[in-house]
């Protein structure tokens, strides 16, 4: 039991399956979420979305609750939003986060604002799931992270799991949540293996996870940058530098308290984030912690981010785009200099 | 021609008059300067909201536009709570957070006015999707303008609603204008309803200066939707009797063309007909108007004497609480 | 001559007029930019966009170069982008920045990325103009600032003028610029009066403007928040506190040098920004300056922003939404405490 | 049937063969594992790009899709520079920054492949707008799939192009599938070309296993556009002979249905016809293939021996310099 291992993709698929079992109001819709499902019959070889995550759903829950859609991101997000406002719990598969700009009005002007503008009467329990991130050579129009954009927007929650365990628990929380949630699944998460209990469980949105304790420097890493942060921490440990590695797990809301407390202890902060730097979550955390833990800071807060560029195709450029362990090490060392 | 009973006819008339008098009152009050925001009145379009919503009940959904007062009233929203909303009061339908362009009443299935042109279309179809998933016989109506008909989301939602046979009715209120831009310029097809063919759904244009014509067309569309036969596109043709918004100088159209549009007022012919048929009399007309005036007086009083929201509450209502 | 005074709206209109006079490749398109222009004849009472800015253009330049459009934001932005890539210089009027989410794919996935993805071959000289900001009671779906979102996006330039003089000069620079520029016109700018020379001139994108010199604290203010900052500075001066007030004028690129130098002098920084706080330009400037001028900082950097909410209608709430002079004063005082 | 001269026929044939052999070579090379990214081949669709682009010159614009190699080659892009791009090399058409899904060649009016489904539609119409503003007779073509036809932006751009009479041709490559989703499911109309009526423009469906049929239809549309008569929507029907992308397990369709689609290969019937008409002979076929093979060999060699971009240049090419 305790060593039951799933991939990130399987963990997410299991969360969807269990959420649909528990609550008949949960539906899944999106391009190719089954694949050919529209033809009506459950069938072998379902596509199950771009990464096979939703493969088991159509056969189990049928065409009313598992819906392939045309390529119409605005309609998919918009119908999901409206259906949520009308009382069901849609999980919209947006495929890649880079495609959400086509649905941006529905998410930004409608889903996010509805509750506030209507004085609290609207409840909009919709989840937009999406793959994200560089590393597959998918280049400019597929590889964006975009969680920083959504974190800017009041009314949305933004969740960025970095392990199969968290992915399952956070997705179940997201589906239960009465607010619109953007659920970001990094490429690197799908193949990652980890312990995942079989029974349904939740991981609270808004609680950071301390992946490694340390007293010399705090490294906050977003989504799969946690892997680089942990690797860097091990290398630094060999040099006698003990890093505290924190995964915020959700960016909106952000667990400021855990971050602040850690930096008050370590006096140093490095943030590792795969998005471009400007108005990013890296900047945001730096600003917040820089303000709240000002007195404790012994060195400038360093941000290790992607460059201010779209994502390039060519492998050496793509590798230069993604924050590297070397850059994390250099940043940590600069705070200790 | 509809063969409607007296009560239904009277209800249609009274509902149209309520909207007209509400909007005239809002126009007057707005000019006094203490109503915040932008206001677009529904004057001239009354027949559409009234005739369509006559076929709906509280379980049915509608989504609306920046010109949403008529849809609210026809769907049963309380005029006083609406006025309080327009004045930005804590007692308003949306606690003063939304105002005229973002007024909503979820208890009546009114999923909101929408200050994004075309913004309500997908939301209503989402309501229809929820109904279909739940297996209920609720339907959804989305109202939008001729201008909104050129938004991409309409295309996407008509296609999706058609392939899923969603119980949704697309009601395009074609008043000939989008702000200062005439529909003949903006739109590449003679009848907006002709676009329905591209989605395999029925499309029909109706002269919405005739409330009973709209009533019939809407009834057929609602019946279709309720019985699982899918969407319909209705183009309701109206004249834009007033400016785009309260305060619009209307430099872009001639007095003559405005007069021509005003001549398409749906209320006088209906009133004449009901008088001729003995459904209304001069005195019942006057008493209906007087009754509405009482409601509006009380509503304005309610609105103006209600408290403003507390500035300290600016951050309330952004998120639903976690259970 | 030197005391020729125009409103912000007039200054912007003049810039457009002069750009169109100078270069036949400049065209203007958008909803109601003339108003009824589609009917063919120049006419009295042109609408000239939501704020009359483009009123003089149709009669002067005709229907080929001044085009009313249907309400189709994605098409308007997308055609402008494609036309720019094909060698002309479109100025797209997006009306209000809150409507740009409908065109977000065209701006984010196409215009911004085109040059990079295509290895430098594309040149995309398009300007998207838009009104923004709270204060008119236009509420939730009209009043967003959104410049922070666009600043996050590599490949875009983001310009936020705060005076008629800058508005004219920056718009002429934006139209000459070979990159996609988001040009944000705050409500409050349209009515503001100021000195504007008649002849065409440019103000360089990427150069901040020091509106007031001072040695005790630096106040960076975005767009019309400059007015609050100046007013606050005057009040503080009466108390003997001298503020340096800086208007970055463009957010992308950002004139980091001017900000850094000022904070190295004053040791204190307050940022005033009308957008919601998370992943905002306020956070971004705080992060950058916090890193670059760490040694000089004598107090935590304070951000005075809108709350993390959509824009409310009700006047007391809308006033609470917009950063106030009182909040600026409190923030400055807290840095001096 | 077109009454084309020998040279034109041969050019069409050679162009189709170039695309086919290019894609087969890419398929083989991709399987070796050193080509980065996602690749979607144009196999089976050759007749469309070739027949349409035969009417275009370098001043004309096209915008393309994630499945863009055929459009590039038909528009005259150099196969070696394309291969270098696919391999992410500094010598590639886009200096290795774009790859297969974002390949472009502005010198040839090729405004880019587009990894956003529907992303190129507005861009091409923008090219047409630029041509109209300049008063040139250039036209623009946007290629997109059946899947893309349900994107809202198509609706907006068809409407706008119609009211402005832009010289743009909408070419929908209907291969029956969007990834695993069949067009019969996704699309609410029997013929995608039927949607043209909603925009007041001509719409025509053509069997694109017949290159000459496409040639005629495209010629008429290009002539219309060039002479200022505005847009046309062409639906080109093709079979999807291969998987959606290289590596697609295609679990969603049966072997039989795939075989049926493969039987709609446009090349064999054209080849047969040219053989029968004496335009081609067995030996000329062989020598054309050999000539293409030489080009591809050289191209692959060029690509694989070209340098990768320097990682230090990751930040180059984001912004055009200020003059
Ligand atoms: C997305 C968006 N674009 C533009 C506007 C500005 N705007 C408000 S109403 C309007 C005209 C709408 O025309 P129509 O849909 O015909 O409705 P009508 O006002 O005629 O009832 C415009 C352009 C907006 N609010 N939202
Ligand atoms: C906006 C967007 N949505 C989804 C995708 C993922 N996707 C890539 S190709 C494709 C199918 C496209 O179908 P179609 O337009 O018919 O072109 P085809 O592949 O059949 O040539 C999808 C859904 C994408 N790239 N962009
Ligand atoms: Mg209208
Ligand atoms: Mg297809």
């Amino acid at each position: 039991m305790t060593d039951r291992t799933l991939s990130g993709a399987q963990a997410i698929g299991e969360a969807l399956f269990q959420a649909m079992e528990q609550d008949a109001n949960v539906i899944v819709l999106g391009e190719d979420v089954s694949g050919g499902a529209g033809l009506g019959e459950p069938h072998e070889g379902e596509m199950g979305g771009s990464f096979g995550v939703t493969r088991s759903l159509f056969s189990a829950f049928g065409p009313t609750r598992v819906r392939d859609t045309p390529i119409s991101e605005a309609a998919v997000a918009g119908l999901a939003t409206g259906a949520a406002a009308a009382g069901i719990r849609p999980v919209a598969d947006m495929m890649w986060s880079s495609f959400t700009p086509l649905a941006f009005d529905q998410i930004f002007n409608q889903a996010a604002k509805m509750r506030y503008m209507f004085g609290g009467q609207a409840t909009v329990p919709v989840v937009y799931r999406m793959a994200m991130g560089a590393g597959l050579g998918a280049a400019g129009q597929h590889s964006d992270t975009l969680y920083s954009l959504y974190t800017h927007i009041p009314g949305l929650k933004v969740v960025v799991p970095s392990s199969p365990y968290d992915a399952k628990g956070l997705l179940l929380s997201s589906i239960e949540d009465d607010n619109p949630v953007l659920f970001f699944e990094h490429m690197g998460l799908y193949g990652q293996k980890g312990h995942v209990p079989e029974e349904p469980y939740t991981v609270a949105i808004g609680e950071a996870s301390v992946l490694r304790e340390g007293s010399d420097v705090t490294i906050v890493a977003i989504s799969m940058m946690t892997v680089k942060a942990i690797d860097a921490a091990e290398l630094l440990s060999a040099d006698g530098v003990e890093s505290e590695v924190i995964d915020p797990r959700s960016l909106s809301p952000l667990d400021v308290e855990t971050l602040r407390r850690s930096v008050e202890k370590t006096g140093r902060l490095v943030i590792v984030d795969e998005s471009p730097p400007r108005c990013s979550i890296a900047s945001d955390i730096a600003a917040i912690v820089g303000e709240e833990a000002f007195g404790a800071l012994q060195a400038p807060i360093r941000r290790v981010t992607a460059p201010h560029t779209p994502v390039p195709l060519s492998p050496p450029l793509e590798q230069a785009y993604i924050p590297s362990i070397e850059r994390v090490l250099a940043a940590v060392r600069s705070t200790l200099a | 021609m509809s063969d409607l009973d007296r009560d239904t006819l009277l209800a249609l008339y009274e509902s149209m008059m309520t909207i007209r008098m509400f909007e005239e009152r809002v126009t007057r009050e707005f000019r006094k300067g203490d109503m915040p925001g932008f206001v677009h009145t529904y004057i001239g379009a009354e027949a559409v909201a009234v005739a369509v919503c006559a076929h709906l009940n509280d379980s049915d959904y509608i989504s609306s536009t920046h010109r949403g007062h008529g849809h609210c009233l026809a769907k049963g929203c309380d005029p006083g709570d609406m006025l309080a909303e327009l004045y930005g009061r804590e007692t308003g339908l949306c606690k003063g957070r939304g105002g005229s362009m973002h007024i909503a009443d979820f208890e009546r299935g009114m999923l909101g006015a929408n200050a994004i042109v075309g913004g309500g279309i997908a939301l209503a179809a989402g309501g229809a999707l929820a109904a279909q998933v739940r297996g209920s016989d609720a339907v959804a109506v989305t109202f939008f303008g001729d201008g909104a008909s050129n938004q991409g989301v309409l295309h996407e939602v008509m296609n999706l609603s058609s392939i899923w046979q969603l119980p949704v009715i697309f009601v395009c209120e074609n008043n000939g204008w989008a702000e200062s831009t005439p529909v003949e310029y903006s739109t590449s097809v003679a009848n907006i309803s002709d676009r329905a063919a591209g989605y395999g759904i029925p499309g029909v244009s109706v002269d919405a200066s005739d409330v009973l014509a709209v009533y019939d067309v809407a009834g057929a569309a609602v019946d279709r939707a309720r019985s699982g036969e899918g969407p319909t596109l209705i183009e309701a043709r109206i004249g834009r009797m007033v400016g785009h918004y309260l305060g619009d100088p209307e430099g872009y159209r001639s007095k003559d063309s405005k007069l021509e549009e005003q001549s398409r007022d749906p209320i006088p012919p209906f009133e004449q007909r009901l008088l001729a048929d003995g459904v209304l009399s001069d005195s019942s007309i006057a008493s209906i108007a007087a009754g509405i005036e009482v409601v509006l007086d009380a509503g304005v009083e309610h609105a103006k004497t209600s408290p403003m929201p507390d500035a300290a509450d600016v951050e309330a209502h952004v998120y639903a609480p976690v259970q």
Side-chain angles (χ1 to χ4, degrees), chain A, chain B:
Chain A
M1 251 300 271
T2 49
D3 51 4
R4 180 172 175 271
T5 291
L6 294 185
S7 71
Q10 289 168 324
I12 294 166
E14 185 166 279
L16 288 167
F17 196 96
Q18 292 176 347
M20 293 189 77
E21 270 186 328
Q22 289 171 358
D23 183 350
N25 276 319
V26 177
I27 70 165
V28 166
L29 70 168
E31 296 157 22
D32 306 294
V33 287
S34 164
L39 295 176
E41 300 296 302
H43 55 278
E44 292 295 297
E46 259 174 63
M47 183 167 161
S50 299
F51 300 90
V53 167
T54 47
R55 194 167 283 145
S56 61
L57 302 180
F58 185 79
S59 324
F61 302 104
T64 299
R65 294 179 62 201
V66 182
R67 297 180 180 237
D68 280 355
T69 68
I71 307 177
S72 302
E73 280 78 11
V76 171
L79 264 77
T81 303
I88 68 169
R89 294 187 174 271
V91 181
D93 186 333
M94 305 304 296
M95 280 203 164
W96 298 65
S97 89
S98 299
F99 308 158
T100 60
L102 290 138
F104 202 59
D105 174 61
Q106 302 296 331
I107 300 174
F108 171 74
N109 275 317
Q110 312 301 337
K113 294 176 178 176
M114 211 182 268
R115 186 176 183 86
Y116 189 80
M117 292 192 309
F118 300 159
Q121 33 175 338
T123 299
V124 191
V126 57
V127 178
Y128 314 99
R129 289 179 49 235
M130 62 202 80
M132 69 156 173
L136 281 193
Q141 290 172 328
H142 275 62
S143 312
D144 303 285
T145 51
L146 291 199
Y147 42 68
S148 299
L149 289 187
Y150 289 103
T151 300
H152 183 58
I153 301 172
L156 302 178
K157 295 192 175 182
V158 177
V159 175
V160 288
S162 77
S163 72
Y165 180 91
D166 283 352
K168 178 175 172 181
L170 284 166
L171 183 51
L172 283 168
S173 289
S174 299
I175 295 171
E176 278 179 16
D177 201 288
D178 276 340
N179 297 284
V181 178
L182 284 279
F183 193 86
F184 285 90
E185 304 167 9
H186 197 284
M187 296 293 112
L189 173 65
Y190 289 130
Q192 211 207 24
K193 297 272 161 69
H195 164 59
V196 177
E198 190 161 354
E199 66 280 4
Y201 60 91
T202 57
V203 170
I205 298 173
E207 290 182 14
S209 153
V210 179
L211 299 179
R212 185 185 193 284
E213 301 206 359
S215 52
D216 299 326
V217 60
T218 302
I219 308 180
V220 173
I222 312 301
S223 182
M224 298 318 287
M225 291 298 108
T226 47
V227 175
K228 309 255 164 125
I230 292 283
D231 287 353
E234 296 307 323
L235 293 170
L236 289 162
S237 182
D239 288 358
V241 174
E242 293 307 332
S243 312
E244 183 139 303
V245 178
I246 301 181
D247 174 2
R249 297 198 288 200
S250 75
L251 306 181
S252 185
L254 182 70
D255 182 354
V256 173
E257 191 50 27
T258 298
L259 303 182
R260 188 183 54 69
R261 247 185 293 135
S262 176
V263 174
E264 276 171 358
K265 175 173 69 175
T266 63
R268 294 173 175 86
L269 176 60
V270 171
I271 305 156
V272 194
D273 172 16
E274 194 187 305
S275 32
R278 306 293 318 283
C279 299
S280 65
I281 187 67
S283 290
D284 195 57
I285 291 173
I288 293 170
V289 177
E291 184 164 359
E292 301 228 344
F294 180 77
L297 279 178
Q298 295 173 43
I301 297 172
R302 298 292 184 201
R303 288 162 295 148
V304 181
T305 70
H308 186 64
T309 75
V311 180
L313 170 90
S314 189
L317 296 175
E318 193 185 32
Q319 282 316 308
Y321 180 90
I322 303 169
S324 64
I325 295 176
E326 294 67 40
R327 291 181 55 213
V328 178
L329 293 175
V332 168
R333 293 206 173 102
S334 84
T335 68
L336 296 159
Chain B
M1 179 66 67
S2 277
D3 202 22
L4 295 180
D5 62 37
R6 200 188 154 79
D7 285 354
T8 307
L9 291 167
L10 272 176
L12 292 174
Y13 175 77
E14 186 159 347
S15 184
M16 285 170 72
M17 284 306 297
T18 302
I19 297 173
R20 175 65 52 92
M21 290 176 66
F22 182 94
E23 296 294 46
E24 286 173 344
R25 182 65 174 262
V26 164
T27 303
R28 286 201 306 278
E29 299 294 337
F30 185 85
R31 295 213 170 111
K32 295 182 187 160
D34 52 355
M35 193 184 287
F38 295 123
V39 175
H40 310 75
T41 71
Y42 200 67
I43 289 174
E46 293 86 351
V48 187
V50 164
V52 171
C53 293
H55 300 284
L56 306 181
N57 58 56
D58 281 357
S59 322
D60 296 322
Y61 301 105
I62 67 167
S63 74
S64 166
T65 69
H66 56 287
R67 199 178 296 291
H69 306 168
H71 308 129
C72 287
L73 289 165
K75 197 74 176 43
C77 300
D78 180 80
D81 295 345
M82 287 175 61
L83 284 160
E85 186 57 32
L86 267 54
Y87 277 100
R89 306 296 161 132
E90 185 70 26
T91 56
L93 272 179
C94 303
K95 297 190 163 55
R97 272 65 179 176
S100 171
M101 291 199 293
H102 317 90
I103 191 164
D105 189 350
F106 275 52
E107 279 183 23
R108 278 166 199 79
M110 200 290 171
L111 298 178
N114 215 304
I116 297 299
V117 169
I121 295 169
L123 300 179
L129 171 60
Q132 192 183 69
V133 168
R134 281 197 291 250
S136 90
D137 73 346
V139 306
V141 176
T142 178
F143 296 95
F144 56 96
D146 49 294
S149 75
N150 294 316
Q151 289 286 33
V153 70
L154 176 63
H155 169 79
E156 297 188 7
V157 175
M158 288 210 289
N159 181 62
L160 191 49
S161 301
S162 173
I163 68 166
W164 287 352
Q165 292 288 287
L166 295 180
V168 58
I169 298 111
F170 299 92
V171 179
C172 180
E173 301 178 327
N174 183 352
N175 63 2
W177 297 93
E179 298 197 343
S180 72
T181 302
V183 66
E184 299 79 22
Y185 171 74
S186 68
T187 307
S188 57
V189 70
N191 306 301
I192 290 172
S193 61
D194 290 347
R195 286 188 173 155
Y199 306 94
I201 64 175
V204 52
S205 294
V206 58
D207 175 0
S209 64
D210 178 354
V211 63
L212 297 180
V214 185
Y215 185 89
D216 287 350
V217 161
V222 170
D223 287 349
R224 269 194 100 234
R226 243 190 248 297
S227 56
E229 290 166 68
T232 302
L233 170 60
I234 298 172
E235 176 188 12
R237 296 244 176 81
I238 51 195
R240 207 185 73 194
M241 292 177 55
V242 291
H244 171 63
Y245 58 98
L246 288 183
D248 184 356
E250 296 184 72
Y252 48 83
R253 65 169 167 176
S254 66
K255 270 234 149 61
D256 281 358
S257 96
K258 183 166 175 180
L259 282 174
E260 192 276 318
E261 298 195 48
Q262 287 175 331
S263 74
R264 295 164 64 199
D265 188 340
I267 293 181
F270 189 45
E271 196 173 83
Q272 287 310 314
R273 196 198 129 134
L274 297 186
L275 278 168
D277 292 357
V279 178
L280 282 178
S281 63
D282 286 346
S283 78
S284 67
I285 289 177
S287 87
I288 288 170
I292 296 169
E293 204 62 47
V294 168
V295 170
L296 294 175
D297 285 344
V300 170
E301 173 72 13
H302 164 64
K304 290 190 143 185
T305 57
S306 286
M308 286 287 183
D310 186 340
D313 289 339
V314 66
E315 300 194 56
H317 308 304
V318 182
Y319 291 98
V322 175
Q323 293 120 344

